[in-house]
């Protein structure tokens, strides 16, 4: 790390700390709910970030992408209306087109597996977001090679309570929502929350003279019931509905927020999902927990592939360009240039059902001389993914079907070796099968038995310091590349395994006014799955198709450090800080591409992996001017990173600032907020290795999708 690298992110936190003084914010225990047993974040021996409702509100966040910076070494990729592909410690997918994807980072919302469906990760009425970093092989298995994001909404309450909320901001954005909770009877409580959010988005389409081609139109509703069936049995029922109808027109030939597309795309998701859980104290020695979930989602992802207007028509197998009318007062007249025109649409249906049944030791159920708590469970999952692709250059729609089943047995032992030492061992054995078929006649199946788990040694160094060392093994199943243009040599890819070593220290200092969490890690990636994509050009040098496939690198290395702290500096000032430093590289990785009709072998040995910035930092201070009036200023910084493993285009490093001032009373709250206060352009997705601009003869150049610009607004809540 160069001195400049150190100064850039750390100066952000130091400068902010010197700017303010005093906020009446009290640090309270924060419980992690994603593990088998609910545990305080300071006591769980692994790297976990918990973003609570106070931090979500202080960022005025509507979606998960707007709070991920609180977690060190966590990034996201857009290529859609929202950032819905996640990377933890440099590991994770960045997009999905024709191929089914086995994700590296799992997403769970109220116990429902929503992995790969990040568009529904809205944050209205959410209690907390938990980001578990590192392989979660025992608890979650194949979908958590790099980690897991767990979103928990507010639970029903016995006392009647509720609120109405509203917000309005620039880009014609506004939101309306409400929640109500309380007892239906002495043994039943319920909660309902509904929210709608709309915005014109941040793109102006010059050709269509529209400013809403990247519109945000999201409605999310959630209902929860809690039943006390008896003194020993609790039941929970959750229903989730998400209606996401967003636009997608993000890429411009000029790399600006002004586009020329004549067919803007769509990024839509319609989801119905439920979870039924039970918790039964069978005896003082035995606890039975069950969870049954199901979700049904219809997805549309589409875009104007040429990012322009004008088209080819085909006569006698020869392309003849037919220009559209062009009003040059609207901008550069692309119709004066030969070009191509194509639209790509992906319609997916996802059906998922799962069952998880486990037994756990109670207070009298410990084994091995009353020293060991235990968990034993079985898990079953079925997932169907049907795709219809409508593409300009296809004679008929492409259709595919994927059926995935998983059955697993898992267990965990937690043994108290002494008053200060505890050994945790976990193991998961999972059978994973895929059956695939499509309209191009490609069929294939895989059947694998996968093994993962963790061994952790935890030491209570003193009453205020918990140290741990762990060795974890995670896995992600292999599969079949489905692009009909893929060569047979690239048709299949193998399972990826990660072996991760982590050392950590969690401390409570200064009479619990300062809480810190430090972790250092080293990950060995075996048979690393790498997304590769390149353009196949026609005889005129224009993009005819894209080969998009998964391949296995020989090995990868990811290592770094993470620091988090929560500090009550004074009775009125709190300081939140997270810092991540990450090194990633490929080892012995080469792939083939086509340049000028010649197959070439490209080596990526030693290169940084995609979407893995070397440093990431987030800092925020909250200052209480009075008991009712508070002010928060925060910033986040991120190093440059490669967009892809198949080309060398990179983002720019950046620092963003945000602020919020709020006035709170028992009955209401009003606030003014701003994000990206300096209106800095940030790149959240990028492409390279091809050209798409007919004015430049399709010369190769990079293209970027930009993140959120300066946004500001006013919001309020009325409590009852």
């Amino acid at each position: 790390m160069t001195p400049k690298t150190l100064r850039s992110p750390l100066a952000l936190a130091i400068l902010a700390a010197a700017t303010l003084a005093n906020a009446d914010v009290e640090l309270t225990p924060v419980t992690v709910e994603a593990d088998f047993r609910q545990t305080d974040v300071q006591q769980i021996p692994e790297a976990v970030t918990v973003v609570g409702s106070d931090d979500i509100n202080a960022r005025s966040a509507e979606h998960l992408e707007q709070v991920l910076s609180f977690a060190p070494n966590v990034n996201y990729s857009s290529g859609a209306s929202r950032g819905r592909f996640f990377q933890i410690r440099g590991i994770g997918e960045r997009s999905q087109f024709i191929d089914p994807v086995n994700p590296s980072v799992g997403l769970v919302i109220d116990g429902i597996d929503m992995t790969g469906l990040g568009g529904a990760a809205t944050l209205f009425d959410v209690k907390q977001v938990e980001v578990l970093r590192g392989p979660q092989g025992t608890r979650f298995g194949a979908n958590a090679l790099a980690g897991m994001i767990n979103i928990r909404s507010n639970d029903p309450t016995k006392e009647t309570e509720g609120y109405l909320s509203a917000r309005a901001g620039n880009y014609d954005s506004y939101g309306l929502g409400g929640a109500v909770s309380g007892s239906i009877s002495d043994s039943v409580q319920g909660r309902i929350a509904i929210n709608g959010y709309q915005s014109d988005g941040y793109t102006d389409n010059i050709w269509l003279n529209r400013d809403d081609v990247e519109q945000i139109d999201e409605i999310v509703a959630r209902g929860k019931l809690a039943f006390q069936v008896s003194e020993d049995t609790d039941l929970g029922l959750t229903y989730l509905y998400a209606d996401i109808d967003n636009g997608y027109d993000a890429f411009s030939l000029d790399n600006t927020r002004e586009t020329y597309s004549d067919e803007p795309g769509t990024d839509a998701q319609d989801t119905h999902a439920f979870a039924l859980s039970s918790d039964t104290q069978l005896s003082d020695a035995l606890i039975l927990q069950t969870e049954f979930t199901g979700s049904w989602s219809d997805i549309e992802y589409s875009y104007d592939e040429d990012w322009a207007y004008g088209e080819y028509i085909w006569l006698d197998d020869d392309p003849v360009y037919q220009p559209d009318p062009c009003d040059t007062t609207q901008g550069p007249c692309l119709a004066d240039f030969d070009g191509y025109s194509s639209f790509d649409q992906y319609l997916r249906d996802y059906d998922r059902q799962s069952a998880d049944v486990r037994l756990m030791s109670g207070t009298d159920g410990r084994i091995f001389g009353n020293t060991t708590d235990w968990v034993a469970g079985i898990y079953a999952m079925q997932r169907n993914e049907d795709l219809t692709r409508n593409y300009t250059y296809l004679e008929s729609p492409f259709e595919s079907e994927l059926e995935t089943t998983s059955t697993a047995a898992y267990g965990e032992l937690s043994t108290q070796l002494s008053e200060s030492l505890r050994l945790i061992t976990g193991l998961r054995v999972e059978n994973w099968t895929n059956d695939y078929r499509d309209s191009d006649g490609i069929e294939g199946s895989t059947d694998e038995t996968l093994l993962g788990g963790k061994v952790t040694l935890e030491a209570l160094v003193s009453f205020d310091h918990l140290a741990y060392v762990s060795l974890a093994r995670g896995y992600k199943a292999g599969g079949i590349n489905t692009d009909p243009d893929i060569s047979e040599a690239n048709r299949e890819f193998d399972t990826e395994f990660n072996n991760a070593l982590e050392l950590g220290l969690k401390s409570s200092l200064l009479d619990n006014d300062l809480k810190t969490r430090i972790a250092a890690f080293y990950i060995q990636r075996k048979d690393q799955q790498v997304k590769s994509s390149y353009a196949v050009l026609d005889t005129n040098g224009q993009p005819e198709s894209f080969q998009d496939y998964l391949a296995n690198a020989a090995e990868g290395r990811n290592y770094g450090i993470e620091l988090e702290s929560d500090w009550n500096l004074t009775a009125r000032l709190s300081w939140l800080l997270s810092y991540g430093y990450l090194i990633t590289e490929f080892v012995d990785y080469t792939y083939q591409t086509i340049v000028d009709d010649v197959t070439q072998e490209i080596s990526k040995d030693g290169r940084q992996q995609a979407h893995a910035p070397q440093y990431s930092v987030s800092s925020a201070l909250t200052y209480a001017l009075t008991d009712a009036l508070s002010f928060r200023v925060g910033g986040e910084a991120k190093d440059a990173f490669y967009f892809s493993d198949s080309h060398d285009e990179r983002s720019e490093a950046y620092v963003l600032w945000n602020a919020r001032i709020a006035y709170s009373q028992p009955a209401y709250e009003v606030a003014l907020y701003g994000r990206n206060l300096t209106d800095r352009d940030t790149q959240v997705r990028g492409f390279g290795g091809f050209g798409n601009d007919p004015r430049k003869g399709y010369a190769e150049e990079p293209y970027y999708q930009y993140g959120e610009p300066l946004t500001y607004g006013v919001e309020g809540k009325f409590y009852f």
Side-chain angles (χ1 to χ4, degrees):
M1 184 195 303
T2 64
K4 183 177 179 180
T5 303
L6 272 172
R7 286 197 301 267
S8 299
L10 291 181
L12 175 69
I14 296 169
L15 178 62
T19 327
L20 298 171
N22 260 274
D24 192 9
V25 178
E26 202 173 304
L27 296 179
T28 56
V30 178
T31 300
V32 178
E33 299 186 15
D35 207 355
F36 293 122
R37 303 176 191 269
Q38 296 187 8
T39 309
D40 187 276
V41 70
Q42 291 295 116
Q43 298 174 357
I44 187 169
E46 61 180 293
V48 183
T49 297
V50 178
V51 183
S53 59
D54 289 343
D55 291 321
I56 294 171
N57 293 334
R59 186 63 62 89
S60 297
E62 302 104 21
H63 190 269
L64 177 62
E65 66 179 5
Q66 293 160 338
V67 300
L68 285 179
S69 63
F70 285 114
N73 289 329
V74 175
N75 200 7
Y76 72 88
S77 169
S78 192
S81 63
R82 293 289 200 184
R84 53 189 180 92
F85 300 96
F86 312 115
Q87 303 85 42
I88 295 178
R89 294 175 172 174
I91 304 170
E93 286 61 51
R94 302 175 303 281
S95 62
Q96 182 180 21
F97 295 97
I98 195 171
D99 286 312
V101 171
N102 294 326
S104 300
V105 177
L107 174 65
V108 173
I109 302 177
D110 283 329
I112 305 167
D113 183 3
M114 299 294 288
T115 303
L117 301 173
T122 59
L123 299 180
F124 183 78
D125 201 45
V126 163
K127 178 172 66 173
Q128 63 190 40
V129 175
E130 304 167 6
V131 183
L132 288 72
R133 301 187 297 280
Q136 304 296 313
T138 306
R139 177 66 178 88
F140 296 107
N143 280 345
L145 175 78
M148 173 65 66
I149 299 173
N150 185 45
I151 299 177
R152 303 293 299 187
S153 66
N154 287 314
D155 291 322
T157 57
K158 290 188 175 182
E159 299 298 324
T160 300
E161 63 177 37
Y163 62 89
L164 299 173
S165 73
R167 67 170 60 196
N170 58 337
Y171 296 100
D172 290 330
S173 63
Y174 64 91
L176 292 172
V180 61
S181 179
S183 293
I184 300 173
S185 68
D186 290 341
S187 59
V188 181
Q189 300 84 44
R191 188 179 189 93
I192 297 176
I194 302 174
N195 184 64
Y197 179 74
Q198 292 188 333
S199 172
D200 284 346
Y202 317 124
T203 298
D204 291 327
N205 188 301
I206 303 301
W207 176 246
L208 298 177
N209 193 27
R210 289 174 53 190
D211 63 1
D212 62 349
V213 287
E214 281 254 290
Q215 69 171 4
I216 301 294
D217 186 356
E218 301 170 338
I219 298 175
V220 175
R222 184 183 290 108
K224 303 179 79 171
L225 291 172
F227 303 85
Q228 293 79 55
V229 178
S230 67
E231 291 184 359
D232 299 321
T233 300
D234 293 329
L235 291 179
L237 177 63
T238 298
Y239 170 73
L240 172 65
Y241 171 68
D243 181 8
I244 312 296
D245 189 16
N246 298 343
Y248 181 52
D249 187 31
F251 283 90
S252 167
L253 295 174
D254 297 327
N255 274 323
T256 66
R257 297 185 190 272
E258 295 182 341
T259 64
Y260 310 118
S261 308
D262 56 2
E263 297 180 280
T266 297
D267 184 23
Q269 175 176 338
D270 186 84
T271 293
H272 296 267
F274 80 92
L276 175 64
S277 62
S278 70
D279 190 326
T280 302
Q281 185 86 35
L282 298 176
S283 68
D284 290 340
L286 203 58
I287 301 169
L288 172 66
Q289 294 181 340
T290 66
E291 190 163 51
F292 302 94
T293 72
S295 65
W296 297 265
S297 298
D298 295 327
I299 309 295
E300 177 182 349
Y301 175 66
S302 59
Y303 54 92
D304 189 331
E305 188 179 47
D306 57 286
W307 309 337
Y309 48 89
E311 62 180 0
Y312 272 129
I313 63 172
W314 293 83
L315 300 174
D316 299 326
D317 294 327
D318 292 323
V320 178
Y321 181 68
Q322 300 293 311
D324 286 336
C326 182
D327 180 359
T328 56
T329 62
Q330 295 183 0
C333 187
L334 296 175
D336 291 338
F337 302 87
D338 284 349
Y340 74 103
S341 179
S342 60
F343 187 78
D344 210 355
Q345 181 190 54
Y346 299 83
L347 302 174
R348 278 187 165 89
D349 292 337
Y350 292 90
D351 295 342
R352 298 178 181 175
Q353 296 83 40
S354 69
D356 196 353
V357 180
R358 74 179 69 98
L359 290 170
M360 305 172 61
S361 59
T363 54
D364 294 340
R366 297 184 179 97
I367 58 177
F368 303 139
N370 202 34
T371 63
T372 303
D373 282 307
W374 56 269
V375 177
I378 56 174
Y379 171 83
M381 180 273 292
Q382 180 170 338
R383 181 184 73 190
N384 296 327
E385 180 180 336
D386 297 338
L387 167 66
T388 299
R389 183 193 186 194
N390 299 304
Y391 182 47
T392 300
Y393 295 126
L394 293 178
E395 294 182 359
S396 60
F398 170 84
E399 296 181 340
S400 68
E401 298 178 8
L402 175 69
E403 297 178 2
T404 300
T405 60
S406 168
T407 55
Y410 59 86
E412 183 177 271
L413 300 176
S414 178
T415 302
Q416 201 70 38
L417 301 177
S418 69
E419 289 186 0
S420 59
L421 284 178
R422 185 165 65 117
L423 179 67
I424 304 170
T425 55
L427 181 68
R428 186 184 188 98
V429 180
E430 185 166 3
N431 180 252
W432 187 278
T433 66
N434 285 318
D435 288 304
Y436 175 83
R437 66 191 67 87
D438 66 34
S439 56
D440 286 332
I442 296 174
E443 295 185 6
S445 61
T446 63
D447 189 337
E448 302 177 88
T449 298
L450 306 169
L451 189 67
K454 179 183 286 189
V455 177
T456 302
L457 182 63
E458 170 193 303
L460 189 62
V461 180
S462 70
F463 183 76
D464 296 322
H465 302 280
L466 177 73
Y468 65 89
V469 57
S470 68
L471 181 62
R473 175 183 171 92
Y475 52 83
K476 181 169 67 168
I480 301 166
N481 286 307
T482 62
D483 191 324
D485 297 324
I486 288 294
S487 65
E488 287 306 311
N490 294 323
R491 180 62 60 194
E492 296 184 1
F493 57 94
D494 297 327
T495 298
E496 176 179 347
F497 292 95
N498 282 3
N499 300 315
L501 174 67
E502 181 174 309
L503 294 87
L505 178 67
K506 299 190 175 185
S507 303
S508 298
L509 308 168
L510 305 178
D511 293 329
N512 286 330
D513 282 337
L514 172 61
K515 296 183 178 181
T516 63
R517 298 176 291 279
I518 303 172
F521 60 91
Y522 180 90
I523 302 172
Q524 179 191 49
R525 305 184 68 178
K526 304 292 291 184
D527 289 326
Q528 179 181 341
Q529 293 179 9
V530 180
K531 189 69 170 289
S532 297
S533 177
Y534 61 88
V536 178
L537 307 182
D538 63 16
T539 56
N540 296 316
Q542 298 173 3
E544 184 178 53
S545 64
F546 289 87
Q547 289 205 7
D548 190 68
Y549 64 97
L550 282 166
N552 294 96
E555 189 174 324
R557 287 195 290 258
N558 300 44
Y559 54 94
I561 59 172
E562 295 160 350
L563 166 66
E564 299 178 89
S565 68
D566 307 306
W567 194 356
N568 276 348
L569 294 166
T570 71
R572 288 186 173 270
L573 176 65
S574 68
W575 180 22
L576 182 70
L577 173 68
S578 75
Y579 176 79
Y581 178 69
L582 177 65
I583 297 294
T584 65
E585 60 181 339
F586 291 111
V587 180
D588 191 23
Y589 173 46
T590 60
Y591 71 93
Q592 291 183 338
T593 188
I594 298 175
V595 179
D596 297 329
D597 295 326
V598 177
T599 300
Q600 296 185 2
E601 189 167 275
I602 307 296
S603 174
K604 294 294 183 180
D605 284 359
R607 208 208 75 169
Q608 181 182 354
Q609 297 165 22
H611 273 257
Q614 184 169 305
Y615 67 77
S616 58
V617 64
S618 178
S619 181
L621 290 109
T622 305
Y623 172 55
L625 300 165
T626 69
D627 290 342
L629 186 63
S630 64
F631 177 69
R632 178 163 172 140
V633 61
E636 59 186 83
K638 192 173 293 182
D639 194 14
F641 55 84
Y642 289 100
F643 291 116
S644 174
D645 297 322
S646 58
H647 61 77
D648 292 329
E649 299 301 339
R650 304 182 74 190
S651 71
E652 295 180 352
Y654 65 79
V655 175
L656 303 181
W657 295 94
N658 51 77
R660 186 176 188 263
I661 186 167
Y663 183 79
S664 300
Q665 291 291 334
Y668 66 90
E669 178 184 81
V670 293
L672 297 172
Y673 69 89
R675 295 192 296 263
N676 191 2
L677 296 177
T678 59
D679 201 20
R680 175 70 184 269
D681 281 337
T682 60
Q683 296 105 0
V684 294
R685 188 74 172 114
F687 295 104
F690 71 98
N692 211 34
D693 194 337
R695 300 167 302 180
K696 301 175 183 178
Y698 293 99
E700 184 177 312
E701 60 182 332
Y703 300 103
Y704 308 119
Q705 177 179 345
Y706 293 104
E708 188 179 64
L710 167 64
T711 57
Y712 55 84
V714 59
E715 57 188 348
K717 284 185 178 181
F718 173 71
Y719 300 96
F720 56 87

